[in-house]
PDB file of all heavy atoms in Angstrom:
ATOM      1  N   ALA A1488       9.969  -9.118 -21.291  1.00 52.00           N
ATOM      2  CA  ALA A1488       8.823  -8.216 -21.426  1.00 52.00           C
ATOM      3  C   ALA A1488       7.509  -8.973 -21.292  1.00 52.00           C
ATOM      4  O   ALA A1488       6.497  -8.404 -20.878  1.00 52.00           O
ATOM      5  CB  ALA A1488       8.886  -7.494 -22.764  1.00 52.00           C
ATOM      6  N   ALA A1489       7.498 -10.246 -21.619  1.00 52.00           N
ATOM      7  CA  ALA A1489       6.271 -11.040 -21.575  1.00 52.00           C
ATOM      8  C   ALA A1489       5.945 -11.537 -20.173  1.00 52.00           C
ATOM      9  O   ALA A1489       4.827 -11.946 -19.899  1.00 52.00           O
ATOM     10  CB  ALA A1489       6.401 -12.233 -22.521  1.00 52.00           C
ATOM     11  N   ILE A1490       6.908 -11.515 -19.256  1.00 51.00           N
ATOM     12  CA  ILE A1490       6.681 -11.986 -17.891  1.00 51.00           C
ATOM     13  C   ILE A1490       5.961 -10.893 -17.116  1.00 51.00           C
ATOM     14  O   ILE A1490       6.438  -9.768 -17.037  1.00 51.00           O
ATOM     15  CB  ILE A1490       8.022 -12.333 -17.202  1.00 51.00           C
ATOM     16  CG1 ILE A1490       8.717 -13.464 -17.945  1.00 51.00           C
ATOM     17  CG2 ILE A1490       7.799 -12.694 -15.742  1.00 51.00           C
ATOM     18  CD1 ILE A1490      10.127 -13.743 -17.464  1.00 51.00           C
ATOM     19  N   PRO A1491       4.782 -11.181 -16.541  1.00 50.00           N
ATOM     20  CA  PRO A1491       4.084 -10.150 -15.770  1.00 50.00           C
ATOM     21  C   PRO A1491       4.865  -9.831 -14.500  1.00 50.00           C
ATOM     22  O   PRO A1491       5.323 -10.728 -13.803  1.00 50.00           O
ATOM     23  CB  PRO A1491       2.729 -10.778 -15.449  1.00 50.00           C
ATOM     24  CG  PRO A1491       2.941 -12.244 -15.582  1.00 50.00           C
ATOM     25  CD  PRO A1491       4.050 -12.433 -16.575  1.00 50.00           C
ATOM     26  N   ALA A1492       5.024  -8.567 -14.230  1.00 50.00           N
ATOM     27  CA  ALA A1492       5.779  -8.147 -13.053  1.00 50.00           C
ATOM     28  C   ALA A1492       4.910  -7.231 -12.210  1.00 50.00           C
ATOM     29  O   ALA A1492       4.424  -6.214 -12.682  1.00 50.00           O
ATOM     30  CB  ALA A1492       7.049  -7.427 -13.474  1.00 50.00           C
ATOM     31  N   THR A1493       4.673  -7.629 -10.991  1.00 52.00           N
ATOM     32  CA  THR A1493       3.991  -6.764 -10.042  1.00 52.00           C
ATOM     33  C   THR A1493       4.860  -6.677  -8.815  1.00 52.00           C
ATOM     34  O   THR A1493       5.566  -7.633  -8.464  1.00 52.00           O
ATOM     35  CB  THR A1493       2.605  -7.310  -9.655  1.00 52.00           C
ATOM     36  OG1 THR A1493       2.768  -8.625  -9.130  1.00 52.00           O
ATOM     37  CG2 THR A1493       1.668  -7.342 -10.846  1.00 52.00           C
ATOM     38  N   ALA A1494       4.836  -5.558  -8.185  1.00 62.00           N
ATOM     39  CA  ALA A1494       5.672  -5.354  -7.013  1.00 62.00           C
ATOM     40  C   ALA A1494       4.810  -4.827  -5.876  1.00 62.00           C
ATOM     41  O   ALA A1494       3.682  -4.392  -6.088  1.00 62.00           O
ATOM     42  CB  ALA A1494       6.778  -4.350  -7.344  1.00 62.00           C
ATOM     43  N   ALA A1495       5.383  -4.869  -4.682  1.00 69.00           N
ATOM     44  CA  ALA A1495       4.685  -4.309  -3.537  1.00 69.00           C
ATOM     45  C   ALA A1495       4.478  -2.821  -3.771  1.00 69.00           C
ATOM     46  O   ALA A1495       5.274  -2.158  -4.430  1.00 69.00           O
ATOM     47  CB  ALA A1495       5.514  -4.535  -2.275  1.00 69.00           C
ATOM     48  N   LEU A1496       3.377  -2.317  -3.256  1.00 74.00           N
ATOM     49  CA  LEU A1496       3.099  -0.894  -3.414  1.00 74.00           C
ATOM     50  C   LEU A1496       4.048  -0.075  -2.554  1.00 74.00           C
ATOM     51  O   LEU A1496       4.396  -0.490  -1.444  1.00 74.00           O
ATOM     52  CB  LEU A1496       1.658  -0.595  -2.988  1.00 74.00           C
ATOM     53  CG  LEU A1496       0.551  -1.163  -3.846  1.00 74.00           C
ATOM     54  CD1 LEU A1496      -0.807  -0.883  -3.196  1.00 74.00           C
ATOM     55  CD2 LEU A1496       0.593  -0.568  -5.234  1.00 74.00           C
ATOM     56  N   PRO A1497       4.454   1.096  -3.013  1.00 84.00           N
ATOM     57  CA  PRO A1497       5.218   2.001  -2.149  1.00 84.00           C
ATOM     58  C   PRO A1497       4.370   2.345  -0.927  1.00 84.00           C
ATOM     59  O   PRO A1497       3.132   2.333  -0.998  1.00 84.00           O
ATOM     60  CB  PRO A1497       5.454   3.227  -3.022  1.00 84.00           C
ATOM     61  CG  PRO A1497       5.298   2.747  -4.421  1.00 84.00           C
ATOM     62  CD  PRO A1497       4.287   1.626  -4.350  1.00 84.00           C
ATOM     63  N   PRO A1498       5.001   2.661   0.208  1.00 85.00           N
ATOM     64  CA  PRO A1498       4.258   2.876   1.456  1.00 85.00           C
ATOM     65  C   PRO A1498       3.083   3.847   1.354  1.00 85.00           C
ATOM     66  O   PRO A1498       2.015   3.572   1.887  1.00 85.00           O
ATOM     67  CB  PRO A1498       5.323   3.393   2.420  1.00 85.00           C
ATOM     68  CG  PRO A1498       6.587   2.799   1.915  1.00 85.00           C
ATOM     69  CD  PRO A1498       6.436   2.754   0.417  1.00 85.00           C
ATOM     70  N   LYS A1499       3.255   4.975   0.665  1.00 89.00           N
ATOM     71  CA  LYS A1499       2.138   5.930   0.626  1.00 89.00           C
ATOM     72  C   LYS A1499       0.956   5.371  -0.170  1.00 89.00           C
ATOM     73  O   LYS A1499      -0.194   5.634   0.163  1.00 89.00           O
ATOM     74  CB  LYS A1499       2.573   7.287   0.094  1.00 89.00           C
ATOM     75  CG  LYS A1499       2.900   7.360  -1.356  1.00 89.00           C
ATOM     76  CD  LYS A1499       3.271   8.797  -1.730  1.00 89.00           C
ATOM     77  CE  LYS A1499       3.571   8.933  -3.197  1.00 89.00           C
ATOM     78  NZ  LYS A1499       3.915  10.301  -3.549  1.00 89.00           N
ATOM     79  N   TYR A1500       1.218   4.570  -1.185  1.00 91.00           N
ATOM     80  CA  TYR A1500       0.126   3.970  -1.946  1.00 91.00           C
ATOM     81  C   TYR A1500      -0.500   2.806  -1.194  1.00 91.00           C
ATOM     82  O   TYR A1500      -1.697   2.547  -1.316  1.00 91.00           O
ATOM     83  CB  TYR A1500       0.607   3.544  -3.333  1.00 91.00           C
ATOM     84  CG  TYR A1500       0.993   4.736  -4.172  1.00 91.00           C
ATOM     85  CD1 TYR A1500       2.311   4.998  -4.490  1.00 91.00           C
ATOM     86  CD2 TYR A1500       0.021   5.634  -4.618  1.00 91.00           C
ATOM     87  CE1 TYR A1500       2.667   6.117  -5.239  1.00 91.00           C
ATOM     88  CE2 TYR A1500       0.363   6.739  -5.361  1.00 91.00           C
ATOM     89  CZ  TYR A1500       1.687   6.983  -5.674  1.00 91.00           C
ATOM     90  OH  TYR A1500       2.023   8.082  -6.397  1.00 91.00           O
ATOM     91  N   GLN A1501       0.292   2.102  -0.402  1.00 91.00           N
ATOM     92  CA  GLN A1501      -0.251   1.037   0.438  1.00 91.00           C
ATOM     93  C   GLN A1501      -1.201   1.636   1.468  1.00 91.00           C
ATOM     94  O   GLN A1501      -2.284   1.127   1.704  1.00 91.00           O
ATOM     95  CB  GLN A1501       0.865   0.259   1.127  1.00 91.00           C
ATOM     96  CG  GLN A1501       0.370  -0.867   2.019  1.00 91.00           C
ATOM     97  CD  GLN A1501      -0.423  -1.920   1.270  1.00 91.00           C
ATOM     98  OE1 GLN A1501      -0.022  -2.341   0.193  1.00 91.00           O
ATOM     99  NE2 GLN A1501      -1.529  -2.358   1.823  1.00 91.00           N
ATOM    100  N   ARG A1502      -0.793   2.760   2.065  1.00 93.00           N
ATOM    101  CA  ARG A1502      -1.647   3.432   3.045  1.00 93.00           C
ATOM    102  C   ARG A1502      -2.947   3.876   2.387  1.00 93.00           C
ATOM    103  O   ARG A1502      -4.027   3.728   2.953  1.00 93.00           O
ATOM    104  CB  ARG A1502      -0.893   4.628   3.627  1.00 93.00           C
ATOM    105  CG  ARG A1502      -1.647   5.507   4.578  1.00 93.00           C
ATOM    106  CD  ARG A1502      -1.638   5.079   6.025  1.00 93.00           C
ATOM    107  NE  ARG A1502      -0.378   4.643   6.545  1.00 93.00           N
ATOM    108  CZ  ARG A1502       0.514   5.414   7.184  1.00 93.00           C
ATOM    109  NH1 ARG A1502       0.298   6.691   7.358  1.00 93.00           N
ATOM    110  NH2 ARG A1502       1.625   4.888   7.656  1.00 93.00           N
ATOM    111  N   LEU A1503      -2.876   4.412   1.178  1.00 94.00           N
ATOM    112  CA  LEU A1503      -4.083   4.825   0.464  1.00 94.00           C
ATOM    113  C   LEU A1503      -4.996   3.630   0.177  1.00 94.00           C
ATOM    114  O   LEU A1503      -6.216   3.730   0.289  1.00 94.00           O
ATOM    115  CB  LEU A1503      -3.724   5.537  -0.841  1.00 94.00           C
ATOM    116  CG  LEU A1503      -3.186   6.954  -0.694  1.00 94.00           C
ATOM    117  CD1 LEU A1503      -2.700   7.480  -2.042  1.00 94.00           C
ATOM    118  CD2 LEU A1503      -4.232   7.875  -0.114  1.00 94.00           C
ATOM    119  N   ALA A1504      -4.406   2.500  -0.170  1.00 94.00           N
ATOM    120  CA  ALA A1504      -5.190   1.289  -0.413  1.00 94.00           C
ATOM    121  C   ALA A1504      -5.904   0.847   0.861  1.00 94.00           C
ATOM    122  O   ALA A1504      -7.069   0.420   0.822  1.00 94.00           O
ATOM    123  CB  ALA A1504      -4.300   0.170  -0.951  1.00 94.00           C
ATOM    124  N   GLU A1505      -5.229   0.962   2.000  1.00 95.00           N
ATOM    125  CA  GLU A1505      -5.835   0.585   3.279  1.00 95.00           C
ATOM    126  C   GLU A1505      -6.971   1.541   3.639  1.00 95.00           C
ATOM    127  O   GLU A1505      -8.050   1.109   4.063  1.00 95.00           O
ATOM    128  CB  GLU A1505      -4.768   0.561   4.373  1.00 95.00           C
ATOM    129  CG  GLU A1505      -3.759  -0.555   4.182  1.00 95.00           C
ATOM    130  CD  GLU A1505      -2.559  -0.462   5.110  1.00 95.00           C
ATOM    131  OE1 GLU A1505      -2.476   0.496   5.917  1.00 95.00           O
ATOM    132  OE2 GLU A1505      -1.690  -1.360   5.026  1.00 95.00           O
ATOM    133  N   LEU A1506      -6.751   2.848   3.456  1.00 96.00           N
ATOM    134  CA  LEU A1506      -7.801   3.827   3.757  1.00 96.00           C
ATOM    135  C   LEU A1506      -9.025   3.608   2.874  1.00 96.00           C
ATOM    136  O   LEU A1506     -10.168   3.659   3.344  1.00 96.00           O
ATOM    137  CB  LEU A1506      -7.260   5.251   3.578  1.00 96.00           C
ATOM    138  CG  LEU A1506      -6.203   5.693   4.590  1.00 96.00           C
ATOM    139  CD1 LEU A1506      -5.586   7.011   4.163  1.00 96.00           C
ATOM    140  CD2 LEU A1506      -6.779   5.782   5.982  1.00 96.00           C
TER     141      LEU A1506
END
Side-chain angles (χ1 to χ4, degrees):
I1490 298 172
T1493 57
L1496 293 174
K1499 71 178 182 180
Y1500 294 110
Q1501 180 61 45
R1502 176 86 44 93
L1503 286 173
E1505 292 170 359
L1506 292 170

